[in-house]
Amino acid sequence: MVSQIIDRMEVDHLLDYGCGAQTNLAKNLKVNRKLMYQAYDPGVPRFSKTPMPAQMVACIDVLEHIEPEFLETVLDELQRLAEAIVFLTVTTCAALKTLSDGRNAHLTQQPMSWWLPRFLDRWEVQTVQTISEVSFFVVGTTRSRLERADGSRLG
């Protein structure tokens, strides 16, 4: 799906936000164009450098791992980093893994109806589709970033 979006929307720069140590997205991309791939994951030292904004941001199997108190900040960061398109996947149930402190690895377990308003506040949602009973994806486009001199948004 990400490859299709890249080709169809003529994306030249992709940020894989929360790429993990294996960068699985990069290994599975099959695009018919030149693409700059940027890996970012704060938990992986070699990918922890602050990311640059990109035409498209993919955030796959990441958001449910964010502590609830930091989720709005991460969503705001994704909004800032996505110049045109976001591709987000979310799992809404518990993970099979636990963290070293005993908590479930999915720290934010909420239904799609809880997630969607947070996405709609930040992006023009183009597609929402369930992947399974417990996961879904969203494709969104950025909203106008025109600002007045005082910093307030136009439009």
Side-chain angles (χ1 to χ4, degrees), residues 115-134:
W115 288 95
L116 286 178
R118 287 158 176 78
F119 300 154
L120 289 165
D121 284 348
R122 292 169 174 86
W123 299 284
E124 297 292 336
V125 172
Q126 304 300 316
T127 303
V128 177
Q129 187 170 329
T130 57
I131 300 168
S132 70
E133 289 182 20
V134 296

Side-chain angles (χ1 to χ4, degrees), residues 33-108:
R33 58 184 301 101
K34 184 178 178 183
L35 178 70
M36 182 169 79
Y37 171 84
Q38 180 185 181
Y40 173 69
D41 194 310
V44 179
R46 65 187 171 137
F47 300 130
S48 63
K49 181 180 175 191
T50 302
M52 300 180 314
Q55 190 176 1
M56 179 175 172
V57 174
C59 184
I60 299 171
D61 191 28
V62 172
L63 294 173
E64 61 270 22
H65 294 275
I66 306 298
E67 293 89 343
E69 62 268 25
F70 299 119
L71 184 61
E72 294 296 325
T73 301
V74 170
L75 291 171
D76 289 345
E77 182 176 30
L78 290 169
Q79 182 182 22
R80 180 186 64 78
L81 291 167
E83 295 175 335
I85 303 164
V86 292
F87 179 87
L88 312 166
T89 68
V90 178
T91 298
T92 60
C93 66
L96 298 176
K97 296 181 180 180
T98 56
L99 302 175
S100 59
D101 64 6
R103 293 180 296 164
N104 189 275
H106 288 174
L107 299 169
T108 302

Side-chain angles (χ1 to χ4, degrees), residues 3-20:
S3 297
Q4 291 173 351
I5 295 168
I6 290 167
D7 284 338
R8 191 170 300 143
M9 302 304 292
E10 300 181 349
V11 171
D12 297 318
H13 180 191
L14 172 68
L15 168 58
D16 185 0
Y17 190 99
C19 62

